[in-house]
Structure formats: structure tokens, C-alpha cells
Amino acid sequence: MIPVHLPVLQIVVPLLSAPLVALIGSRKLSYWIALIVSISAFAMSADLLLAVLSSGPISYALGGWAAPWGIEYRIDMLNGFVLLVVSGMGAFTMMFARQSVAAEIPDRHQALFYACYLLCLTGLLGVTITGDLFNVFVFLEISSLSSYVLISLGKDRRALTAAYNYLILGTIGATFIVISIGLLYMVTGTLNMADMAKLLPDLRGNSVVLAGFAFFIVGVSLKLALFPLHIWLPNAYTYAPSVVTIFLAATATKVSIYVLLRFVFSVFGTDFSFNVVPLGEILMGLAIAGMFIASTAAIFQDNAKRMLAYSSVAQVGYIILGISLATPEGVGAGILHLFNHAIIKGGLFMALACVFFRTGSVMISDMRGLGHSMPWTMAAFVAGGLSIIGVPLTAGFISKWYLISAAFDLGLWWVGLLILLSSLLAVIYIWRIVETAYFNVSDEGTVEKLVDQEAPLSMLLTLWALVALNVWFGIDTSLTADIANAIGVYLTGGGA
Amino acid sequence: MTAELSMTLAILLPLIGGGIILAVGRSPNLREAVTIVTSLLLFADIFWLAQSGVVGSNPTMTWAEPIQGLTIAFTLEPLGLLFAIIASTLWVLTSLYSIGYMRANKELKQTRFYTCFAVAISATMGIALAGNLLTLFIFYEALTISTYPLVTHKGTLEARNAGRIYLGILIGTSISFLLFAIIWTWNIAGTLDFVKGGILEGHIEGPFVGLLLGMYVFGIGKAALMPVHRWLPAAMVAPTPVSALLHAVAVVKAGVFSVLKIAVYIFGVGFLADTGVSIWLAYVAAATILIASIIAMTKDNLKARLAYSTISQLSYVILGAMLATGIGVIGSGMHIAMHAVGKITLFFCAGAIYTALHKTEISDMDGIGRLMPWTMGAFFIGALSIIGLPPLGGAWSKWYLALGAAEADQLILIAVLMISSLLNVAYLLPIPARAFFLPLKDEPSLENLDGVAAPKVTRREAPLIMVIPLCLTALGCLFLFAYAGAIYDLLAPLAG
């Protein structure tokens, strides 16, 4: 049994800690508050997920006002799982963050930085936990606005333009979403997702509903960086402070994917979404295009962060591909990769954060010989890279296996082949960094002077904890794959 | 000591040894001692496993279940035991040889060398003992990754580029073809276990059988079937001990071993014979045998010639497997052993010649028999074994392969085997012949290893610690001739 108010505490604790941090204004204290809040948020998410797994969905009426008039927080297996991912990566990021933030963010802004981070965390958790459609929009905006601020705090001057670009595009996406919510509210008279799911089947032929559906899909696709609506992502990830990139890469797109899942499967149902609207074909086509084009773009990048950003677009493609199959196995595989990718990408960006902390650069050409001067950091990078490629005994392999298996189950062997071929592109872009780091000889034949400076122990410990998780979830998948597959069955089988 | 413990030790001993080597890397003598002790312990472990006779009961053990319905499991069966015996025995000899080679040539980064070597042996043991395709694939990829630092050991531009070809071909084929074939098999058969008689009968028919088989054989790039053979000559840039064990014995043998295992335990000899789909691959193997031999004749670099000879000899094993006859399978298994011992002798000699006289081109090797009688004598014996003449072991494996071809009514392939033997004579025998019967090419710079010029032409072998292993392996070729019967008895159950 969980404490009655745990669902709302999951939101209230980070939400209230944000202005607290801003008011206190102390650099050191704000870090520790952020860390404690992140860890307690993770503990709450774990508790909620365990409760859901043992006794079914939890429903909480905010302020005691019953749904559908009041706002309802509804936690089932899907968002319990996603809550875990978001809060877990938040906790890991904070465990890593202290020295990185101290080095990259000006002193006078650090308290505000942590305040914005806490707001972002609140927003992401709120999107995930709520059962009310407009509430989704509100929290989505909270998380987006705070992430624009976080990105703009990057050292590079281009961080400002990257944040601005993301602001414009993100607002367009959010506007599409709110237009959709308006249209659907107009027709159904409710904002509660469970309630709407009951009312929608009667409104099948209604063109307003179709318009609302379309607006929402486009809006959320922009938020989750589905090709070709991914334009904001590379710059945003590249120029943001290292810690921000770690956090956003692991959580922002995942939460938007969750919103897509909830909308498509729980609110509208598989039948409408995939039979009436050809969503499966559209998503599959765009996902595959994203996988190849983004992976190819990654190969030609000189900035390691930008390379990983394009890699993220490709990986989102894999997740959407799984979802587009609309079978329990396919959706399960997509959700599994949602979890695994958060850990993998978080780890990779953490390694780059260590590199930036010591060398001040994330350009691949500046990484010559890093394998010898920062052996632990680069070893962690290689481990993450192998997981992106999909080498066995890593989490990435498990995702790929389930994804290809799901495609085969539908007879779509060519999809399986495409997934494998795009993995080869990952080999190329990951190996570029491996070669540069471990081979001292540049093409001109000079040997770089090696500076022996490994990253600080606290950063390395968190980094290697993520690497260990990566390997763990490549061998023991009972937490990840079993739950993901159960969610797949649940989503495709029934409604909300 | 139970069978399961023995199998677990077989995989863990080299891994733990590798870890200790990494830790004590700063003291070379201690590090070398760890290598030797680990190799002796592994040899003892496999020896116990062999003489205990448990192979008849096929002991199994399971480690984990990463994917629902698929385990990381190990099974001891005759082929795997033979492979394990060969690899563990030759590791002892190669350890001694490498110590001599690395020190005499004052190679850098020796700790990394010995560590990766041990990890690679562990992966080889994993492949030998694999009980299903997933386990095989896991250790197959682990072998590729762990041998990459060995292939690129020298760290030069040439090494880096060779590493790209090596990794590119091996990972490219294993992800696009092998993994695809494995998931396809999983999808249609519902299991990936190695079962006598195969698991595919009844689940697949028509041209798909040939297609699947082709995907397996070309997907196993380590078997070096043309056209996925280019990695082998590229890998010759590695130090000779690497070439000797890994590319004459472990890596390439893992490849053909996997092909043979899949032919026998996934498809089943009977199923292949009935459908007749494997014959086209037998002809591809035959073409590889001949073409590689012809290319070998054109190579002046000794290691390059031996590399193409290996490609040719590996296709003997593939040929035997694709003939789909019981006796052919036995011939293939036997050839894995015979070729390993013969080829490692030749590579050891090549390394000894380089170490003692700094010669790599065959045209420079006139008359060196006078300087290195033991080495060239061993070379002669190894060459005879590869050619397939009694009283050397290679004669037996060729004999059984020819019988297999006869039983499959493929008389052309018997002719291919005979022609290939003639070609082997053409590219192998001139080397010892010229060494013994022609005068020395020029007065070589006969400095001692200490840099002092010697007064006149005098016998000058490589260090004893290198010469003893190569003499022992040459004796091994003779020994195997006498004891081929034991190998036959071991493999007889496969023919059923």
C-alpha cells in the first residue's frame, strides 16, 4: 500500500522545491536540494510502479474533485514505467551534476539553474502522471519553457539561438496540441482522458475528431523529434550545458513518446488510430527515414554531441517503428527501447560531459589520444557505443532483438533487415570516436602529447553506474522487457 | 569437479586471468607468469573434461535468460570439445611463443596484448561450448571486439586501416546476415537450441532453406568464404603471435566451427542432404579453395601467402559441412584440428624468421635453412601437413573430405581437393626448398640481437622460447597422424 497522496507528492515535491531553491539562492545548497528532491522523486516513482504492478491502476483526484470535472492523476503500467525512467535519469543526472554545473554555469546563475531543472523535472513528471488532457498541455509547457532556459545557459553563444529555435518550434508543437485539445473538448465535452476514450467511439465519422487527432499527432511528433520534425534537436542538444543534454536526451523525447502512446492507444484506441487513420504506415515510413537519414548525418559530424544528437533522432525512429507495428510485440519493443535508450544515451552524454569537463572541447578532432589519458571515461563511451550498435550483452541488443522479432512476427522481414542495416551506420559513427581516442597517429603521422587527466571520481562513479545498468539490462531483462511486453499487451488489447 | 564446473571454469579462467594481467601489468615477469599459469590451468581443465568422457552425455548449463524463451546456455558436445582442446593446447604454446616474440621485438603495449589475448580465448571457449545460437552469437561478437585491439596492436595508420576492414567485414556480416538469419530461425522454429538432427525440418522449405543457409555461411565472416574473406589478409598487420593463434586457430576456427555446428545441429545433415540446398555453397567453397590458392602463389610476403592459404584451407571445412554427409562432417571436424596445428607451425616459423633475421619476403629467404635449420625443418613438416601428405595429420582430414565428396556424388569436388593439394605444393614447398638448397641471397646484416655484428655465417635461430613451441607443433602434426583415430571416434556420433 502506498501513502494516499503519493501521486500528488510526486509532483508537489519537485514543484515546490523549485521556488525554494530560487529564493534561497545559495549555490551549494541548491545542488543538494536538487539532488535530494531527484532521489526522492525516484523513490516515489519506484513505489508507485510497484503498487501498480501488484494491484493495478491507481487513480487520484486532485483536491478531492472527482473526475471528469476535476483533474485526475491516473497511473497504470505505462506511465508508471515512464515515471521511473524520468525520475531515475533525473536522479542519475543530479548525482553526476555538481562539478559539471559548477564548471559550466556562471556562479550567479547556478541556483536559478537548479530551480529551472526542478521545474523541468516537475513538468516531465506531470505530463506522465496526469489523466487530464489539458493538464498534459500545462505540464508540457512547464517542462518546455524551463528546458528552453536550461539550454540557453550553455557556454557557447549559439546556445541562445538554439534555445530560441527550440522555443519557436516547440511552441508550434504545443500550439498544435492545444488546438487539438480544444477541438476534442468541443466535440466530447470532457478533458479527462479515460472519459474521452469512452465517448470517442460514438463520434467516429466526425471530421472535427479527425482534425483533432491529426493536429495532436503532428504536434507531439514535433516534440518527440520524429523525422522530419526533428530540426530543433541537434542544436539544442549540442549547445546546451552538458548536464542539461544528459537530462533532456534521456527524458524529454521519452515523455513525448509516452504522450503519443497514451493518445493513440488509450484515448483513441488501436482500431481508430491504425485502421481508420493510416497512422501505422505514416509512422513506419517516417521512422525508417529517420533511422537512415539521421544515422547518416551523424557520421559526418565533427562535434561529438551533435553526432549523438542525430543518433538520438535515429533511435527515436526505432521506438516509433516499434509502435507503428501496433502489435503487442511491436509496441512492447518500442517501450523497451524507450527505457534502454534513456540509459544508453544518458551514459554516452555523461562520458562526453566528463571529456568536456577536462578538455573543454567535444570536437572529435580534439579527442586524439583520449583513450590513454582518460581511459575510464572512454571505456564507458565504448560500452555505450557498443550498446547503440546493438552488440550482445548490452541493453541495446535486447531492444533490437525484440524489435526485429516483432517485425518478423508480422512477416515484415524487410523492416528487420533495415533495422540491422541502420545498425551498421551506428558502427561507423561510433567507431570514428573510438579510433580517434585510441589511435594517437593522426593522418599526418604526428603523435599527440598525452595529458594524463581522468575525470573526477564522483563523475566516473555515476557514469560507470549507468554503464553497469546498461550491461545488467542486457543480461537480466526481467525489469525491462517483461514489463514492456506486458504494457504492449495492455495497450493494444484494451483502451484506457 | 563436475562437468558444469569444468565448463564454467573454461570460460571464466581466461577472463579472470585477463583481469589479473591488467592489474599486474607493470611487472612484466609477473604478468607473463600469470599468462602461462592461466593457460596451463585452462589446458588442465579442458584435459579433465576430455578424459572424463562426459561428452557422451552432453552436459548443459544455463546462465541467464536475457530474452523471453532464450537462454545463455552451454552444452558440451564432440565438435565443441575438439575445438576447445585445440584452442587450449595451442594457447599454452602460443603464450610461450608470444613472450619470446614480444620481448625480442621490443613491442609496446604488451599488457594490453596479453589481456586481450586472454579475453579472446575466453570468448573462444564460449563459442566452443555454446548450447544455442544466441550464446554462440554473443561470444562470436565478443571475439570480434576483443581481437580488434590485437589486430590494431601496432597503432600505426596501417594498423588502423586494417582494423577498419577487419571490424567492418566481421561486424557488417554478423549484423546484416548472421543476426538476421538467427532471428529468422527463432521466428520460424521457436527455438535456437543446438539439437542433433537440426531444428528447422518442417518449418521451412523450398528456396528459403538455401537462402537461410547462405545467410548463415556468409554471415559468419570469420569462416572467410569468398567474397567476405578480405579481413584475413588485412589482419596480418598484427604481430605474428596474434596471427598464429587467432587467425590460424581461434578466430577462423570459430568461424568454420560455427558453420559446421549450424549445418549439423540447426539444419541437420539429413535435412540438408534431402533438400540438396547446400551443394551450391559447396561449390562456392570449392571456388574459394582454388582462387585463394592461386592468389597465395602470387604473394611474396610470407604472412600474406599464409593468410591466403588459410582462406583456402578454411573452405575445406565449409566444403565438408556443405556436402551434407556424415563422413564429410567428420572430415571437416578433423580438418579443424589438423589445419590448426599445421598452420600455427607455419606462422610460428614466419615470426621466428622475422625475429631472427628481420625478413618478411619469401624472395629474401633463400638459404636461411642453414641459419635456422630447426625452424625451416618445422616449416617443412607443417607444409606437408597442409598439403595433405602422410605421415602428417593433414592427410587424414583430406582423405575423409574426399570420401565425403564421393558419398555425395560430387566427383568434381574430389578433383578440386586434389588440384588444391597440388597448388599447396606449389606455394608452400618452394619456401623450405629454397631455404635449404639455395645459397644465401646476400650477406645479411647478421647482428646479434644485442646489435653486435657476427663474424661469419653461423646458425642463428630465434630465441629458444620461440623455437621450442614451433617444434612441438610440428611434432603435433606427426602425432595427429597417429592419433587421428581418436578424433574419428570422438566425432563419430555426429555422423550418426
Side-chain angles (χ1 to χ4, degrees):
Chain A
M1 274 310 298
I2 54 161
V4 174
H5 296 293
L6 195 60
V8 78
L9 278 175
Q10 172 88 85
I11 304 302
V12 164
V13 170
L15 180 62
L16 288 183
S17 58
L20 184 69
V21 163
L23 285 174
I24 293 180
S26 150
R27 288 183 316 147
K28 295 191 86 169
L29 202 54
S30 48
Y31 167 72
W32 290 104
I33 296 177
L35 177 65
I36 294 172
V37 167
S38 301
I39 295 180
S40 50
F42 176 66
M44 288 190 256
S45 303
D47 205 10
L48 283 169
L49 180 62
L50 284 171
V52 171
L53 287 176
S54 59
S55 44
I58 300 171
S59 177
Y60 179 89
L62 217 54
W65 297 98
W69 309 116
I71 293 175
E72 178 196 17
Y73 282 178
R74 194 159 187 286
I75 306 152
D76 59 14
M77 271 198 287
L78 173 60
N79 57 355
F81 195 62
V82 178
L83 275 176
L84 195 71
V85 173
V86 174
S87 58
M89 287 315 294
F92 271 109
T93 312
M94 277 302 111
M95 284 194 267
F96 178 85
R98 189 166 60 91
Q99 283 162 296
S100 182
V101 171
E104 289 184 41
I105 312 285
D107 285 356
R108 64 188 189 282
H109 288 152
Q110 278 181 30
L112 293 175
F113 171 87
Y114 286 110
C116 275
Y117 159 76
L118 287 166
L119 278 177
C120 192
L121 181 67
T122 310
L124 292 170
L125 291 172
V127 172
T128 315
I129 206 172
T130 184
D132 182 288
L133 210 49
F134 191 72
N135 216 212
V136 166
F137 170 73
V138 170
F139 278 116
L140 199 59
E141 281 296 82
I142 293 177
S143 67
S144 302
L145 291 169
S146 46
S147 52
Y148 305 150
V149 175
L150 287 170
I151 292 171
S152 69
L153 287 172
K155 266 179 151 176
D156 193 309
R157 290 187 61 183
R158 287 169 288 189
L160 277 172
T161 37
Y164 185 70
N165 202 312
Y166 184 20
L167 185 152
I168 299 294
L169 289 172
T171 309
I172 294 177
T175 308
F176 272 44
I177 292 175
V178 80
I179 291 176
S180 161
I181 296 173
L183 289 172
L184 291 171
Y185 179 56
M186 190 171 76
V187 176
T188 61
T190 178
L191 289 171
N192 184 290
M193 291 199 268
D195 203 34
M196 200 181 277
K198 292 198 197 83
L199 295 168
L200 278 172
D202 299 326
L203 294 161
R204 265 206 151 197
N206 194 317
S207 49
V208 179
V209 167
L210 270 173
F213 185 83
F215 268 106
F216 198 96
I217 297 295
V218 174
V220 86
S221 297
L222 201 151
K223 283 283 182 191
L224 63 90
L226 178 66
F227 179 87
L229 300 172
H230 65 286
I231 319 278
W232 57 269
L233 195 149
N235 279 345
Y237 282 17
T238 309
Y239 299 118
S242 308
V243 167
V244 173
T245 312
I246 298 170
F247 182 64
L248 288 181
T251 57
T253 48
K254 313 295 175 290
V255 167
S256 303
I257 294 173
Y258 156 76
V259 172
L260 178 75
L261 282 168
R262 183 61 81 203
F263 191 75
V264 165
F265 288 105
S266 300
V267 177
F268 275 86
T270 323
D271 189 42
F272 177 86
S273 306
F274 290 95
N275 297 335
V276 175
V277 178
L279 189 62
E281 287 81 351
I282 298 173
L283 286 181
M284 186 183 288
L286 291 177
I288 294 177
M291 275 156 50
F292 279 94
I293 297 177
S295 295
T296 311
I299 295 175
F300 293 101
Q301 300 306 317
D302 270 324
N303 184 312
K305 279 177 86 173
R306 186 182 242 110
M307 178 202 85
L308 289 180
Y310 276 107
S311 168
S312 292
V313 176
Q315 299 294 313
V316 164
Y318 287 120
I319 300 174
I320 298 296
L321 181 58
I323 294 173
S324 70
L325 296 175
T327 58
E329 296 83 22
V331 176
I335 294 172
L336 175 64
H337 199 50
L338 187 152
F339 183 98
N340 286 338
H341 181 242
I343 296 181
I344 301 170
K345 242 344 146 16
L348 282 170
F349 275 116
M350 242 183 227
L352 283 185
C354 290
V355 170
F356 187 75
F357 182 78
R358 277 299 183 214
T359 66
S361 164
V362 283
M363 300 304 287
I364 297 181
S365 43
D366 291 337
M367 289 186 185
R368 220 157 262 143
L370 222 51
H372 305 293
S373 46
M374 299 182 77
W376 289 97
T377 307
M378 291 317 292
F381 188 91
V382 172
L386 291 177
S387 199
I388 286 277
I389 294 170
V391 166
L393 293 183
T394 61
F397 174 71
I398 306 290
S399 301
K400 289 249 164 79
W401 180 284
Y402 274 112
L403 210 52
I404 300 172
S405 242
F408 262 96
D409 282 340
L410 284 170
L412 297 169
W413 58 269
W414 53 274
V415 171
L417 190 61
L418 286 174
I419 294 173
L420 290 170
L421 290 176
S422 58
S423 305
L424 295 181
L425 293 173
V427 176
I428 302 178
Y429 63 68
I430 292 290
W431 224 253
R432 275 186 66 210
I433 295 197
V434 170
E435 276 188 1
T436 313
Y438 288 98
F439 289 87
N440 289 10
V441 186
S442 69
D443 285 334
E444 298 83 48
T446 59
V447 176
E448 302 291 316
K449 194 166 88 76
L450 300 179
V451 186
D452 183 53
Q453 292 186 78
E454 184 53 276
L457 189 63
S458 59
M459 292 166 89
L460 278 183
L461 282 175
T462 320
L463 173 61
W464 273 90
L466 274 181
V467 171
L469 276 183
N470 191 348
V471 174
W472 176 265
F473 288 126
I475 300 176
D476 177 5
T477 56
S478 46
L479 173 65
T480 52
D482 291 355
I483 297 182
N485 284 325
I487 299 174
V489 170
Y490 160 76
L491 281 180
T492 51
Chain B
M1 175 69 108
T2 63
E4 286 77 23
L5 179 61
S6 176
M7 286 160 68
T8 310
L9 280 176
I11 300 171
L12 289 183
L13 264 174
L15 214 50
I16 297 173
I20 301 179
I21 292 170
L22 195 58
V24 303
R26 299 205 193 266
S27 356
N29 291 331
L30 184 58
R31 177 189 67 200
E32 261 69 300
V34 174
T35 302
I36 296 179
V37 165
T38 312
S39 63
L40 286 172
L41 284 176
L42 181 66
F43 173 74
D45 182 49
I46 301 293
F47 184 76
W48 179 89
L49 204 56
Q51 59 80 37
S52 71
V54 294
V55 67
S57 57
N58 295 115
T60 56
M61 70 178 177
T62 309
W63 278 8
E65 189 172 338
I67 294 171
Q68 279 166 349
L70 275 177
T71 54
I72 299 179
F74 302 93
T75 306
L76 184 66
E77 50 77 49
L79 259 178
L81 181 60
L82 181 64
F83 186 28
I85 295 173
I86 295 292
S88 57
T89 311
L90 291 176
W91 188 28
V92 178
L93 295 174
T94 312
S95 299
L96 291 169
Y97 182 88
S98 325
I99 295 170
Y101 183 94
M102 298 302 271
R103 290 189 176 200
N105 288 296
K106 299 192 178 34
E107 293 270 359
L108 302 168
K109 296 260 179 261
Q110 291 190 28
T111 304
R112 183 182 72 193
F113 173 88
Y114 290 110
T115 310
C116 288
F117 222 98
V119 175
I121 296 292
S122 171
T124 309
M125 291 295 134
I127 294 175
L129 296 173
N132 59 38
L133 274 173
L134 178 68
T135 315
L136 185 78
F137 185 72
I138 291 173
F139 285 99
Y140 184 92
E141 296 292 75
L143 186 59
T144 308
I145 308 268
S146 57
T147 49
Y148 176 80
L150 291 170
V151 169
T152 56
H153 179 90
K154 297 219 158 97
T156 59
L157 196 60
E158 201 199 343
R160 187 197 74 180
N161 293 339
R164 284 183 182 177
I165 301 179
Y166 182 77
L167 207 66
I169 295 185
L170 288 183
I171 291 216
T173 51
S174 67
I175 288 184
S176 341
F177 299 132
L178 181 58
L179 185 56
F180 185 84
I182 292 177
I183 299 184
W184 184 1
T185 307
W186 166 244
N187 188 262
I188 55 177
T191 175
L192 288 178
D193 291 339
F194 287 129
V195 173
K196 182 114 188 303
I199 56 173
L200 282 172
E201 188 140 21
H203 297 286
I204 185 175
E205 53 206 13
F208 288 116
V209 188
L211 181 62
L212 184 61
L213 186 62
M215 296 210 85
Y216 272 118
V217 178
F218 286 109
I220 300 177
K222 294 194 174 99
L225 187 67
M226 284 183 171
V228 295
H229 66 286
R230 270 295 287 139
W231 64 270
L232 225 173
M236 290 299 119
V237 74
T240 307
V242 177
S243 308
L245 183 70
L246 264 29
H247 301 288
V249 177
V251 170
V252 298
K253 289 295 175 282
V256 291
F257 168 80
S258 305
V259 171
L260 196 49
K261 250 196 126 144
I262 287 169
V264 174
Y265 292 107
I266 297 290
F267 284 84
V269 175
F271 181 56
L272 282 178
D274 291 338
T275 53
V277 294
S278 56
I279 297 297
W280 73 275
L281 280 164
Y283 278 92
V284 176
T288 305
I289 293 175
L290 294 176
I291 299 175
S293 299
I294 296 172
I295 299 179
M297 293 197 302
T298 68
K299 295 287 178 191
D300 196 31
N301 181 292
L302 180 56
K303 280 177 76 173
R305 185 174 288 199
L306 293 179
Y308 277 97
S309 168
T310 302
I311 296 173
S312 173
Q313 295 287 314
L314 291 174
S315 282
Y316 278 52
V317 179
I318 303 177
L319 180 70
M322 295 299 117
L323 286 172
T325 62
I327 200 95
V329 166
I330 294 182
S332 288
M334 202 178 281
H335 199 63
I336 290 181
M338 303 303 180
H339 174 251
V341 182
K343 210 28 126 355
I344 203 175
T345 311
L346 298 181
F347 271 106
F348 278 169
C349 295
I353 296 172
Y354 174 72
T355 304
L357 301 176
H358 296 289
K359 287 178 186 288
T360 56
E361 307 304 298
I362 295 170
S363 47
D364 293 335
M365 293 181 188
D366 293 351
I368 62 174
R370 244 146 289 176
L371 299 171
M372 319 179 70
W374 288 96
T375 304
M376 295 317 293
F379 191 99
F380 177 65
I381 295 177
L384 286 182
S385 184
I386 298 289
I387 292 167
L389 290 172
L392 285 321
W396 280 115
S397 53
K398 274 227 169 96
W399 173 255
Y400 285 116
L401 283 171
L403 279 184
E407 194 172 305
D409 278 328
Q410 300 289 341
L411 301 179
I412 298 183
L413 295 177
I414 301 184
V416 167
L417 288 171
M418 296 304 125
I419 296 174
S420 163
S421 294
L422 290 175
L423 290 172
N424 288 355
V425 171
Y427 68 68
L428 278 180
L429 276 189
I431 302 172
R434 290 165 68 155
F436 282 114
F437 296 124
L438 289 183
L440 272 169
K441 200 131 217 204
D442 43 27
E443 273 306 303
S445 57
L446 287 182
E447 312 139 36
N448 288 347
L449 293 168
D450 311 318
V452 176
K456 62 173 169 74
V457 172
T458 155
R459 180 184 300 188
R460 231 269 310 291
E461 296 271 6
L464 202 60
I465 196 175
M466 290 169 72
V467 175
I468 290 182
L470 61 89
C471 290
L472 286 176
T473 53
L475 282 176
C477 297
L478 285 161
F479 176 82
L480 282 175
F481 179 78
Y483 283 89
I487 301 182
Y488 186 94
D489 291 334
L490 176 65
L491 295 178
L494 287 169

